[in-house]
Amino acid sequence: MLDTSLLSLVTLLPAAGALVLAVLPARPAALHRWLALALSLVVFILSLAVWFRFDPDLPSFQLQEQLSWIPQYGISYHIGVDGISLLLVLLTTLLIPVVILASWSSIDAHVKGFHISLLLLTTGMIGAFVALDLFLFYVFWELMLIPMYFIIGVWGGPRRIYAAVKFVLFTMVGSLLMLVAILYLAWYHQLSTGAWSYDYLALAATAPRIALAGLWSPQALLFLAFGLAFAIKVPMFPFHTWLPDAHVEAPTGGSIILAGVLLKLGTYGFLRFNRTLFPAAWDFFVPLIVVLAVIGILYGALVAMVQPDIKKLVAYSSVSHLGYVMLGLAAGTVASTQGAILQMVNHGLSTGALFLLVGVVYERRHTRMIADYGGIAGIVPAYTGLFLLVTLSSIGLPGLNGFVGEFLILAGSWKVFPVAVVFAGLGIIVGAVYMLWMFQRVFWNPLVHDENRTLTDVNLRELLALAPLVVLIVWIGVHPTTFLSPMEAAVRSLLG
Amino acid sequence: MLGNLWLIPILCLAGAAANLALGMLRANKRLVSIVGVGSVGLATVTTFIALSEYLGQARDVIRETYFTWIAAGEFVVDASFQLDQLSAIMISFVTFVGFLIHVYSIGYMHGETDRGYARYFAYLNLFMFSMLVLVLGSNLPVLFIGWEGVGLCSYLLIGYYYEQEYCATAGKKAFIVNRIGDFGFLLAIFAAFAAFGTSEFLGLREAVAVDPGGVRAAATVIGLLLFVGAIGKSAQLPLYVWLPDAMAGPTPVSALIHAATMVTAGVYMVARTNFFYQASPAAMLTVAVVGGLTAVFAATIGLAQNDIKKVLAYSTVSQLGYMFLGAGVGAFIAAIFHVVTHAFFKACLFLGSGSVIHACGGEQDMRKMGGLRKHMPITYWTFVVATLAIAGIPLFAGFVSKDEILAKVFAAGAVDLNHFGSLYTLLWVLAVAGAFMTAFYMFRAVYMTFHGEFRGGHEAEHHLHESPPSMTLPLIILGALSVVGGILIGFPGQLFHRPELNRIEHFLHPVMAPLAAAHGEVANAGQAAHGVSLPTEWVLVITSVLVAVAGWMVARNFYVGDQAFAPARRLAERFPFVHKLLLNKYWVDELYDAVVVRPFFGLARFSWKVVDVVIIDTVFVNGSAFAVELTGDFLRFLQTGNVRNYALSVALGILVLAVVLW
């Protein structure tokens, strides 16, 4: 079982756990917390087994499993990992226990429902990363939507309904077009080979043959149908406005998942599907992607600078950071692509940690407004130190993770798009401005609000939730080859 | 120790980590001092052991690779250190001066809380680690680790008194202005990788040396981009504005980071990558022009400052300008020589000012000082010898190095270096004028602070005292080095037909050697210096001595005796605009605020409030939702549920179809 179905186990165990929670009584709430935590740790350990079993020298998909599902239409349960999805699966399985710990005391209503949603979401996310059948991918893709809708809409802030609906509508608009495109691909496959197929590897052979002649030709439209779904998810400018609302209203755990994993599905989708299935259209649209990426980098950073709400600031900073990822993917050199993939992980760690940290003070003071803080460095020194470290990681201080990703993206893109790199480089300056200005106004300056004098420092549970993120932030900064080498073969083969 | 160079910075890093932990545990200051000073002391001892081993063997360059830091595609960056003559000089004075300032800090910071004290030493130790990585790194990215690390520590230490808003703001400003420079540095790394496929200094030097003329374009781009980084870190025009504000940090920090070591990192980098500048006359000229202009510009501001630390801060900006001026005529060795002597006398001056501020209960305004020499003789005498050194009085440390720079700049003009001769001559004139101002503002500071009568009131006068030995001992050592440091390591033997006495010139020659002699065009003022005759060199020496003494005498005339301050006041009244201009530092901060900062924030608010909220969210997002709603409302009229309406539609449809088909 463990030999042949390891990847399925990692993917489906969370959903199975959700079913178990569903039949258990709602009280005591602690039961659900502990069960979900234990399960998520098991899933994480299993995913480590995937990591150790993975052969980094092979560019192909490994640990593949294939079961026939709807054979008439060539639909199968086909999953597998390569060096690219491997890292993102591990990021997901790592973040789930972190999220459960982060939500331990902040989620106190409908605890059972929260953990069921979270576990279903987990299966959706891992499934989307490992799916090698486009129909299956779409199922997992949509599976993510519903639990996230509930997480924002039930456990969110005052405007949670607006934010949840906005999140769903934005995502649906993109994904419906993607569904049409997937159907077209299967139909085209049938047309050219005589058999229906939704299999990624099969479609990767036929889809590139679809004609491309200008914007209104089939391949370009298919590219756009996939691209829109992913661009909204990333989110790329100008499809980003759902993100700040969703983040501000989502509970801490929801924000960590959203920033840590869900956004990566957008960038991952571009690399896995748009680039591989529609290579000609990719070349056609790369200039547009580069322009939007650079706009996103600068625009996200600029808007982040003037946000009064810390969470909104971090949300806009995500727009900026993911702009770098898109730039790296668009440049398409080995270094820039590896940098982009690493930066997906980095962003998940750093931004996840930032949301977690914001949640820590929010739980104590019930405000995320920068102006409600100030001068708390002396009150909560450990918290300040951790926040500083994550801030530095986010602004790309060498020795921490963010630098390696940004460095490879920009260095790798330099030969292809030097002008874009210069503009993107300006984002590094603005990045320091908004993060350090926020840091100054929250932790430094005179302590003016007396309520903050009684703030308590991070407790053991919060420390445990942060610890793996902090360790990896330093690890990737000092020894990134641990994570770069397993993906190199896959990236080289993907880039062709 | 060779083979294990990593030990030197790691000792400091371990000290930093230990002090962070001690701070969390609220350990007492004694323990923190032992860890903080001890770790740097050990690093210093290790450094000198490594140096003696290095000097005892034949190789020029020891390169140690520890592991592969980054590897992706064609980008491979080793985590590796390199000990050669240049890094040898750098690590020796960095650890030594750093150690002295750690010792000094024990006395200076004793009034802090236990926690604050531990935090201070943790940052200071971390700084030492970063600075050592910076000078030991064997390639641009590793240098950049140290470069950003020292910037981080500078930020944290300027903001040490973080509850004071001006300190917090100054720290942030330092980091952000430096980031502008880092932007250039990063692009330079990309460009170097793209042009030469490596970022190792040895590999780059080799690649450039093969055909300096052929890679001139790349060398120019890389050289200029690197220099953007240097402008930020070493506080040159137009990015110098963070350094005066950085004085908000504790004074030992100003001495260590903002005078002796970190701010000279830009000069070090230019010297380290001298081959790019040698291959690019344009880049080299840029370095000289920026350096020369900064040297004079900052000196003029220094003339009118009343805050003792501000005088020293502008003086540092000015002296860094001299170093770049030297590098900009190809006198990289003279530039590094001045880095070293400057570390001695400027650290001495800053620590002296700290001693003064300590005695005056935190007062930094020289108008409220005066007569301190009676109360603190050690501080006074060390401050005076350091002033003699910076002013360029013969045989003191600053004289030897600054004179070498001036001589080489003059020579560059005389031999028409790279056909920019007249520009170089002009820079020489500016530099000599700057030397006059240097002597003036420094002696002005001496007289205002230590001579005359105390002007700070009776209460404060009672508290005046000499500082404890932990503070005076470093002063004495640095004072002694300010006297003999220059002639010991770089005696100007060429003036006496004994060039071999100029040790630093010989020692550093392998690192700074001219590229290929075959390429006659390639700039190298090391040879240009031979373009002027010995009598001319002597005339230059005498000129600069006269200028320095003149500056000193004017200051004495202005600020000593019964008429003290009166001539200066009269001068200010005669030229009120000039006085205001200098006093307000040319309003550069205000200018930047109006031209850069405000429009920038305006653009940010516009992006948020107009583009995001109005255009994207209201017009497009809610607009399309509204359009869907409207369409729905309209379509609702068609769905009346009335069968006769549907029948009518069907009939009309058939009619239309029939007409069309017919």
Side-chain angles (χ1 to χ4, degrees), chain A residues 435-450:
Chain A
M435 287 307 285
L436 293 184
W437 193 36
M438 182 262 284
F439 188 82
Q440 179 189 351
R441 287 175 297 160
V442 172
F443 294 93
W444 289 2
N445 287 354
L447 203 156
V448 283
H449 299 287
D450 283 328

mmCIF file of all heavy atoms in Angstrom, chain A residues 435-450:
data_model
loop_
_atom_site.group_PDB
_atom_site.id
_atom_site.type_symbol
_atom_site.label_atom_id
_atom_site.label_comp_id
_atom_site.label_asym_id
_atom_site.label_seq_id
_atom_site.Cartn_x
_atom_site.Cartn_y
_atom_site.Cartn_z
ATOM 1 N N MET A 435 8.014 47.777 3.877
ATOM 2 C CA MET A 435 8.169 46.864 5.012
ATOM 3 C C MET A 435 8.808 47.573 6.207
ATOM 4 O O MET A 435 8.367 47.423 7.343
ATOM 5 C CB MET A 435 9.014 45.650 4.616
ATOM 6 C CG MET A 435 8.311 44.657 3.714
ATOM 7 S SD MET A 435 6.712 44.070 4.316
ATOM 8 C CE MET A 435 7.192 42.945 5.612
ATOM 9 N N LEU A 436 9.876 48.335 5.950
ATOM 10 C CA LEU A 436 10.564 48.945 7.085
ATOM 11 C C LEU A 436 9.767 50.097 7.682
ATOM 12 O O LEU A 436 9.833 50.350 8.875
ATOM 13 C CB LEU A 436 11.961 49.427 6.657
ATOM 14 C CG LEU A 436 12.924 48.305 6.303
ATOM 15 C CD1 LEU A 436 14.290 48.866 5.997
ATOM 16 C CD2 LEU A 436 13.021 47.305 7.443
ATOM 17 N N TRP A 437 9.018 50.771 6.837
ATOM 18 C CA TRP A 437 8.182 51.856 7.365
ATOM 19 C C TRP A 437 7.108 51.266 8.270
ATOM 20 O O TRP A 437 6.816 51.790 9.352
ATOM 21 C CB TRP A 437 7.568 52.654 6.215
ATOM 22 C CG TRP A 437 6.952 53.947 6.647
ATOM 23 C CD1 TRP A 437 7.412 54.779 7.625
ATOM 24 C CD2 TRP A 437 5.767 54.551 6.134
ATOM 25 N NE1 TRP A 437 6.587 55.866 7.744
ATOM 26 C CE2 TRP A 437 5.578 55.746 6.839
ATOM 27 C CE3 TRP A 437 4.856 54.192 5.134
ATOM 28 C CZ2 TRP A 437 4.493 56.594 6.590
ATOM 29 C CZ3 TRP A 437 3.794 55.039 4.875
ATOM 30 C CH2 TRP A 437 3.616 56.220 5.590
ATOM 31 N N MET A 438 6.525 50.172 7.826
ATOM 32 C CA MET A 438 5.544 49.493 8.673
ATOM 33 C C MET A 438 6.208 49.022 9.956
ATOM 34 O O MET A 438 5.684 49.234 11.054
ATOM 35 C CB MET A 438 4.948 48.310 7.890
ATOM 36 C CG MET A 438 3.886 47.548 8.622
ATOM 37 S SD MET A 438 4.522 46.086 9.409
ATOM 38 C CE MET A 438 4.702 44.996 8.003
ATOM 39 N N PHE A 439 7.382 48.416 9.828
ATOM 40 C CA PHE A 439 8.077 47.908 11.010
ATOM 41 C C PHE A 439 8.350 49.036 11.997
ATOM 42 O O PHE A 439 8.158 48.891 13.206
ATOM 43 C CB PHE A 439 9.392 47.236 10.594
ATOM 44 C CG PHE A 439 10.069 46.535 11.720
ATOM 45 C CD1 PHE A 439 9.683 45.261 12.101
ATOM 46 C CD2 PHE A 439 11.081 47.150 12.438
ATOM 47 C CE1 PHE A 439 10.295 44.611 13.159
ATOM 48 C CE2 PHE A 439 11.695 46.518 13.502
ATOM 49 C CZ PHE A 439 11.302 45.244 13.860
ATOM 50 N N GLN A 440 8.773 50.165 11.465
ATOM 51 C CA GLN A 440 9.045 51.311 12.335
ATOM 52 C C GLN A 440 7.785 51.738 13.085
ATOM 53 O O GLN A 440 7.803 51.960 14.294
ATOM 54 C CB GLN A 440 9.569 52.487 11.512
ATOM 55 C CG GLN A 440 9.845 53.723 12.358
ATOM 56 C CD GLN A 440 10.144 54.956 11.518
ATOM 57 O OE1 GLN A 440 10.319 54.873 10.303
ATOM 58 N NE2 GLN A 440 10.200 56.100 12.159
ATOM 59 N N ARG A 441 6.669 51.832 12.354
ATOM 60 C CA ARG A 441 5.460 52.366 12.989
ATOM 61 C C ARG A 441 4.804 51.375 13.942
ATOM 62 O O ARG A 441 4.046 51.764 14.817
ATOM 63 C CB ARG A 441 4.471 52.801 11.902
ATOM 64 C CG ARG A 441 4.910 54.085 11.201
ATOM 65 C CD ARG A 441 3.985 54.414 10.056
ATOM 66 N NE ARG A 441 4.023 53.380 9.041
ATOM 67 C CZ ARG A 441 3.073 53.202 8.125
ATOM 68 N NH1 ARG A 441 2.005 53.975 8.119
ATOM 69 N NH2 ARG A 441 3.181 52.254 7.228
ATOM 70 N N VAL A 442 5.091 50.077 13.762
ATOM 71 C CA VAL A 442 4.503 49.098 14.677
ATOM 72 C C VAL A 442 5.415 48.867 15.878
ATOM 73 O O VAL A 442 4.962 48.861 17.020
ATOM 74 C CB VAL A 442 4.233 47.767 13.945
ATOM 75 C CG1 VAL A 442 3.812 46.683 14.937
ATOM 76 C CG2 VAL A 442 3.160 47.960 12.888
ATOM 77 N N PHE A 443 6.713 48.691 15.630
ATOM 78 C CA PHE A 443 7.597 48.234 16.704
ATOM 79 C C PHE A 443 8.451 49.341 17.303
ATOM 80 O O PHE A 443 8.835 49.267 18.451
ATOM 81 C CB PHE A 443 8.514 47.123 16.177
ATOM 82 C CG PHE A 443 7.754 45.899 15.807
ATOM 83 C CD1 PHE A 443 7.304 45.700 14.516
ATOM 84 C CD2 PHE A 443 7.436 44.951 16.770
ATOM 85 C CE1 PHE A 443 6.582 44.572 14.177
ATOM 86 C CE2 PHE A 443 6.707 43.822 16.440
ATOM 87 C CZ PHE A 443 6.284 43.642 15.140
ATOM 88 N N TRP A 444 8.792 50.327 16.478
ATOM 89 C CA TRP A 444 9.629 51.410 16.975
ATOM 90 C C TRP A 444 8.744 52.628 17.241
ATOM 91 O O TRP A 444 7.541 52.494 17.387
ATOM 92 C CB TRP A 444 10.741 51.717 15.963
ATOM 93 C CG TRP A 444 11.778 50.634 15.896
ATOM 94 C CD1 TRP A 444 11.782 49.457 16.597
ATOM 95 C CD2 TRP A 444 12.951 50.598 15.076
ATOM 96 N NE1 TRP A 444 12.892 48.718 16.252
ATOM 97 C CE2 TRP A 444 13.623 49.383 15.339
ATOM 98 C CE3 TRP A 444 13.515 51.482 14.154
ATOM 99 C CZ2 TRP A 444 14.838 49.028 14.706
ATOM 100 C CZ3 TRP A 444 14.722 51.136 13.531
ATOM 101 C CH2 TRP A 444 15.373 49.917 13.804
ATOM 102 N N ASN A 445 9.350 53.791 17.322
ATOM 103 C CA ASN A 445 8.636 55.038 17.640
ATOM 104 C C ASN A 445 8.120 54.994 19.084
ATOM 105 O O ASN A 445 8.135 53.947 19.730
ATOM 106 C CB ASN A 445 7.475 55.277 16.670
ATOM 107 C CG ASN A 445 7.965 55.697 15.293
ATOM 108 O OD1 ASN A 445 9.149 55.907 15.089
ATOM 109 N ND2 ASN A 445 7.057 55.820 14.356
ATOM 110 N N PRO A 446 7.664 56.133 19.610
ATOM 111 C CA PRO A 446 7.196 56.149 21.001
ATOM 112 C C PRO A 446 5.976 55.253 21.197
ATOM 113 O O PRO A 446 5.168 55.080 20.297
ATOM 114 C CB PRO A 446 6.824 57.619 21.221
ATOM 115 C CG PRO A 446 7.543 58.370 20.173
ATOM 116 C CD PRO A 446 7.669 57.463 19.003
ATOM 117 N N LEU A 447 5.889 54.687 22.396
ATOM 118 C CA LEU A 447 4.749 53.841 22.725
ATOM 119 C C LEU A 447 3.607 54.756 23.155
ATOM 120 O O LEU A 447 3.624 55.305 24.257
ATOM 121 C CB LEU A 447 5.132 52.885 23.852
ATOM 122 C CG LEU A 447 4.344 51.603 23.991
ATOM 123 C CD1 LEU A 447 5.182 50.567 24.705
ATOM 124 C CD2 LEU A 447 3.052 51.807 24.732
ATOM 125 N N VAL A 448 2.641 54.954 22.297
ATOM 126 C CA VAL A 448 1.605 55.938 22.602
ATOM 127 C C VAL A 448 0.299 55.312 23.087
ATOM 128 O O VAL A 448 -0.488 55.961 23.761
ATOM 129 C CB VAL A 448 1.319 56.835 21.381
ATOM 130 C CG1 VAL A 448 2.416 57.865 21.216
ATOM 131 C CG2 VAL A 448 1.158 56.028 20.119
ATOM 132 N N HIS A 449 0.053 54.037 22.734
ATOM 133 C CA HIS A 449 -1.205 53.421 23.155
ATOM 134 C C HIS A 449 -0.961 52.576 24.403
ATOM 135 O O HIS A 449 -0.248 51.579 24.355
ATOM 136 C CB HIS A 449 -1.777 52.543 22.041
ATOM 137 C CG HIS A 449 -2.079 53.311 20.791
ATOM 138 N ND1 HIS A 449 -3.149 54.169 20.686
ATOM 139 C CD2 HIS A 449 -1.424 53.365 19.611
ATOM 140 C CE1 HIS A 449 -3.153 54.714 19.479
ATOM 141 N NE2 HIS A 449 -2.115 54.249 18.807
ATOM 142 N N ASP A 450 -1.585 52.980 25.495
ATOM 143 C CA ASP A 450 -1.336 52.274 26.747
ATOM 144 C C ASP A 450 -1.804 50.825 26.715
ATOM 145 O O ASP A 450 -1.278 49.981 27.436
ATOM 146 C CB ASP A 450 -2.003 53.014 27.907
ATOM 147 C CG ASP A 450 -1.186 54.235 28.306
ATOM 148 O OD1 ASP A 450 0.053 54.158 28.166
ATOM 149 O OD2 ASP A 450 -1.768 55.250 28.715
#
